[in-house]
Amino acid sequence: VTGIQQVEDAARRLAGVSVRTPLLRCFELEQRVGGVVLLKPECLQRTGSFKIRGAYNLMSQLSKVQAKRGVVAWSSGNHAQGVAAAGRLLDIPTTIVMPEDAPKSKLANTQRLGGEVITYDRYTGDREAIARNIAAERGAEIVPSYDHEHIIAGQGTVGLEIAQQCQEAGLLADQVLICCGGGGLTAGSAVALTAKLPGVAIHTVEPDEFDDTARSLALGKRVCVVDSARTICDALMSPCPGEMTFEINRQLLSDGLSVSDEDVREAMRFAFKYLKLVVEPGGAVALAAMLTGKINGKGMTTVVVLSGGNVDSDSFAEIQRSGSG
Amino acid sequence: VTGIQQVEDAARRLAGVSVRTPLLRCFELEQRVGGVVLLKPECLQRTGSFKIRGAYNLMSQLSKVQAKRGVVAWSSGNHAQGVAAAGRLLDIPTTIVMPEDAPKSKLANTQRLGGEVITYDRYTGDREAIARNIAAERGAEIVPSYDHEHIIAGQGTVGLEIAQQCQEAGLLADQVLICCGGGGLTAGSAVALTAKLPGVAIHTVEPDEFDDTARSLALGKRVCVVDSARTICDALMSPCPGEMTFEINRQLLSDGLSVSDEDVREAMRFAFKYLKLVVEPGGAVALAAMLTGKINGKGMTTVVVLSGGNVDSDSFAEIQRSGSG
């Protein structure tokens, strides 16, 4: 199981590769919440989401032989860009299986970063089978999007930075809200946060219909969402918690929250208007939980992770427009 | 004339009031430029632009009697919000004369922050006369948007932070590009930068038709633009350099650059796509100069100020859309 030592090792590997994203204050948000709110905008990260942290941490540990054979991954788009960018930096060929309805910018950027993209139908195809076939044919390594100790350790550098930045600012964080798909960012960050900020409460935030981690935490065992589940948060559509990620999250987290797609749209409008940040739907769920009052921040110091900003300009404009009526 | 001591005093007054905005790296931009590029995103500042720095610095030095009588300012929208926000923090009544065609969000936010807004026609009205009449009637103080030593010192904290943040990052800045209207941000920042980073080159960037500072620098004396000048950069439509600001800029700057409205739109699209930042037209001119290659950054370390992000969602969407063809 991933420990703080592995997260700190990952931070050393990532020095000069990933961006140490800032911890931002927003007075408008603090006024609404009635407490201190710090934002960790991973939309400002290289490739527009936190995913390069885990991908690079894993891929930089491959042997020369493995690196030469390349890697294969499947992803809705953010892990794809992280893997492609890490591949370019490390000179490792990358192939990524992506849903054909992924945001255009995610498909285009993955290719621009040098990734070979293979598309499939999100609702009928089996991306894992496609990827495993390619990997077997080429002798390539699979780079999982969350359920791997090196991925968890890499994403955990988000939590490590939050702890360091809170200390630098002289602020004691009471709670941290983390956008949650398969649970890699949450698990790694929880490892770092509980090691560095003992007593901090960590909450996952998911889309209402993809609340598998929240329900799994409540039941104490992994459960999945129904096949018919839908959300605008294309980055958070993993139906079940990972085995490794859930084992960590089960031990370090108390509960999980969820928000509606309309809550997410409102959070994206807030981010445009008051934060001046471009946040994608999946990156806005934690902010949405704060704005809707699903979590109480009054008199407390809350850290809110904005996990990504990769959204097409058309979708972005439509979401902004939908709020003006 | 404003000196480094006044900028450092302003920084102390602003502690806990303004945001110490981060200095961000963007690998995509660095790849295009072929050098290190650091962005100072004042769009992430309280009120969405740097303007609260100068307004608060001046207004916090008013006497109790002056504070009670209130202040009057004129502004296209960013100084307006800075003055209104400072007024709310300091319990000073604020009245701001604004063009009726200012972005809706600038008008609305100024009122939301407690400012009394009086509108006028940008092309036919005399905002200065309107403001001076109100000030005379009420015995109120005028808060100029750039030509005042306290305003210059406050805006100079942007340059002071850049110098500190470059030192913290172990980077030596070769040049700094600053968005320029009346020249307050440039003058204050130039004072701080030349004091802290001797030898650094400082360039103003203006819209092509509002290149009064560039032409004034070239001529060695203040000249103004023609009445028919137009630009989408509503924040940078001051027709002449300020007296005090130009006196400083003349001594500390070599030359000024200018960019077209289309360059600005392209920079705003780049900021959305790769920086995940909402930048307003006037806040994007320095980035535009970098992207168009009007300034060479190859093998150098360049700091680019993004001075504001207050743009209506409709205009923003239209600018994003105009680039997709």
Side-chain angles (χ1 to χ4, degrees):
Chain A
V1 173
T2 312
I4 181 66
Q5 187 60 56
Q6 285 173 276
V7 179
E8 287 178 337
D9 289 345
R12 271 184 289 276
R13 284 186 203 102
L14 288 166
V17 171
S18 60
V19 173
R20 190 192 200 232
T21 54
L23 204 56
L24 299 172
R25 292 189 70 166
C26 168
F27 294 96
E28 178 67 30
L29 188 53
E30 298 199 348
Q31 202 173 14
R32 294 199 190 194
V33 168
V36 174
V37 183
L38 303 162
L39 301 161
K40 181 69 173 169
E42 282 293 299
C43 45
L44 304 179
Q45 184 56 260
R46 192 169 195 161
T47 73
S49 90
F50 67 95
K51 289 287 192 178
I52 192 171
R53 297 174 183 260
Y56 187 91
N57 187 48
L58 187 155
M59 291 163 65
S60 63
Q61 295 182 68
L62 294 177
S63 71
K64 275 193 181 173
V65 175
Q66 289 174 314
K68 207 176 169 186
R69 288 186 189 147
V71 299
V72 180
W74 56 89
S75 162
S76 64
N78 283 337
H79 180 57
Q81 291 177 72
V83 167
R88 174 161 282 183
L89 287 164
L90 295 160
D91 201 19
I92 298 174
T94 58
T95 306
I96 300 112
V97 181
M98 296 179 71
E100 59 194 8
D101 67 344
K104 284 185 219 75
S105 60
K106 288 183 175 177
L107 291 159
N109 275 333
T110 304
Q111 288 172 318
R112 193 179 52 83
L113 290 162
E116 181 192 340
V117 172
I118 293 169
T119 57
Y120 76 103
D121 182 308
R122 191 195 290 267
Y123 302 108
T124 61
D126 183 346
R127 62 184 186 173
E128 203 166 325
I130 301 169
R132 291 201 187 281
N133 277 338
I134 299 167
E137 273 169 30
R138 303 184 189 176
E141 287 292 315
I142 299 271
V143 183
S145 57
Y146 47 87
D147 227 21
H148 189 291
E149 56 180 344
H150 296 339
I151 298 290
I152 295 171
Q155 321 303 30
T157 58
V158 171
L160 189 63
E161 287 177 10
I162 290 172
Q164 290 166 343
Q165 291 167 317
C166 283
Q167 280 161 346
E168 286 164 15
L171 290 164
L172 211 66
D174 295 298
Q175 53 189 6
V176 181
L177 306 188
I178 308 182
C179 312
C180 183
L185 174 63
T186 304
S189 294
V191 165
L193 288 165
T194 52
K196 299 290 179 183
L197 302 175
V200 70
I202 301 158
H203 303 279
T204 52
V205 187
E206 297 169 290
D208 279 341
E209 295 195 28
F210 282 83
D211 63 342
D212 47 291
T213 292
R215 291 200 288 117
S216 299
L217 287 171
L219 288 166
K221 61 169 188 170
R222 291 165 67 223
V223 290
C224 303
V225 300
V226 294
D227 284 347
S228 58
R230 294 291 182 273
T231 177
I232 58 166
C233 303
D234 58 281
L236 304 181
M237 293 174 80
S238 49
C240 317
E243 271 184 66
M244 295 178 65
T245 56
F246 185 68
E247 187 52 30
I248 295 171
N249 290 335
R250 190 180 61 78
Q251 292 176 50
L252 302 180
L253 274 63
S254 52
D255 62 344
L257 308 167
S258 75
V259 293
S260 73
D261 281 358
E262 189 43 38
D263 296 340
V264 167
R265 287 190 196 95
E266 186 56 36
M268 288 174 69
R269 290 189 286 264
F270 184 91
F272 173 83
K273 209 167 166 185
Y274 298 112
L275 308 177
K276 310 301 176 187
L277 290 173
V278 177
V279 184
E280 67 179 276
V285 290
L287 177 62
M290 189 98 255
L291 286 170
T292 53
K294 295 213 167 161
I295 184 97
N296 180 19
K298 202 169 176 176
M300 290 190 273
T301 296
T302 307
V303 180
V304 175
V305 177
L306 306 171
S307 55
N310 292 315
V311 52
D312 287 343
S313 58
D314 290 354
S315 318
F316 189 78
E318 196 184 310
I319 287 167
Q320 296 302 327
R321 203 164 37 237
S322 64
S324 54
Chain B
V1 173
T2 311
I4 181 65
Q5 186 60 56
Q6 284 174 276
V7 179
E8 288 178 338
D9 289 344
R12 270 184 290 276
R13 283 184 204 103
L14 288 165
V17 171
S18 60
V19 173
R20 191 194 199 229
T21 54
L23 204 57
L24 299 172
R25 292 189 69 166
C26 170
F27 294 96
E28 178 67 31
L29 188 55
E30 297 200 348
Q31 203 173 12
R32 294 199 189 192
V33 169
V36 175
V37 183
L38 302 162
L39 301 161
K40 180 71 172 168
E42 283 292 300
C43 46
L44 303 180
Q45 184 55 261
R46 192 170 196 160
T47 73
S49 91
F50 67 95
K51 289 285 191 178
I52 193 170
R53 297 174 183 261
Y56 187 91
N57 187 48
L58 186 155
M59 290 164 65
S60 64
Q61 295 181 68
L62 293 177
S63 70
K64 275 193 182 174
V65 174
Q66 288 174 315
K68 208 176 168 186
R69 287 187 189 144
V71 299
V72 180
W74 56 89
S75 162
S76 64
N78 283 337
H79 180 56
Q81 291 176 73
V83 168
R88 173 161 282 183
L89 287 165
L90 296 161
D91 201 20
I92 298 174
T94 57
T95 305
I96 301 112
V97 180
M98 297 179 70
E100 59 194 8
D101 66 345
K104 284 185 220 75
S105 60
K106 289 183 174 176
L107 290 160
N109 275 332
T110 304
Q111 288 172 317
R112 194 179 53 82
L113 290 163
E116 182 192 342
V117 172
I118 293 168
T119 57
Y120 75 102
D121 183 309
R122 191 195 291 267
Y123 302 109
T124 61
D126 183 347
R127 61 184 187 172
E128 204 166 324
I130 300 168
R132 292 202 187 279
N133 277 339
I134 298 167
E137 274 169 28
R138 304 184 187 175
E141 287 292 315
I142 299 270
V143 183
S145 57
Y146 48 86
D147 226 21
H148 187 293
E149 58 179 343
H150 296 339
I151 298 290
I152 295 171
Q155 321 303 29
T157 58
V158 172
L160 189 63
E161 287 177 10
I162 290 171
Q164 290 165 343
Q165 290 167 318
C166 283
Q167 279 161 346
E168 286 164 14
L171 290 164
L172 212 66
D174 296 297
Q175 53 189 6
V176 181
L177 307 187
I178 308 183
C179 312
C180 186
L185 174 63
T186 304
S189 295
V191 166
L193 288 165
T194 51
K196 299 290 179 183
L197 303 175
V200 70
I202 301 158
H203 304 278
T204 51
V205 187
E206 296 169 292
D208 279 342
E209 295 195 28
F210 282 83
D211 64 342
D212 46 291
T213 292
R215 291 198 289 117
S216 299
L217 287 170
L219 288 165
K221 60 169 186 166
R222 291 165 66 221
V223 289
C224 303
V225 299
V226 293
D227 284 347
S228 59
R230 294 291 182 272
T231 177
I232 58 165
C233 302
D234 58 281
L236 303 181
M237 294 174 77
S238 49
C240 319
E243 272 184 64
M244 294 178 67
T245 56
F246 185 68
E247 186 53 31
I248 294 171
N249 291 335
R250 191 181 60 78
Q251 292 177 51
L252 302 181
L253 274 62
S254 52
D255 62 343
L257 309 165
S258 75
V259 293
S260 73
D261 280 357
E262 189 42 38
D263 296 340
V264 167
R265 286 190 196 95
E266 187 55 35
M268 287 174 68
R269 290 191 285 265
F270 184 91
F272 173 84
K273 208 167 166 184
Y274 298 112
L275 307 177
K276 310 300 175 187
L277 290 173
V278 177
V279 184
E280 66 179 278
V285 290
L287 177 62
M290 188 97 256
L291 285 169
T292 53
K294 295 213 167 160
I295 184 97
N296 180 18
K298 203 168 176 177
M300 288 190 274
T301 296
T302 307
V303 180
V304 176
V305 176
L306 307 170
S307 55
N310 293 316
V311 53
D312 287 342
S313 59
D314 290 356
S315 318
F316 190 78
E318 196 185 310
I319 287 167
Q320 296 302 325
R321 202 165 39 238
S322 64
S324 55

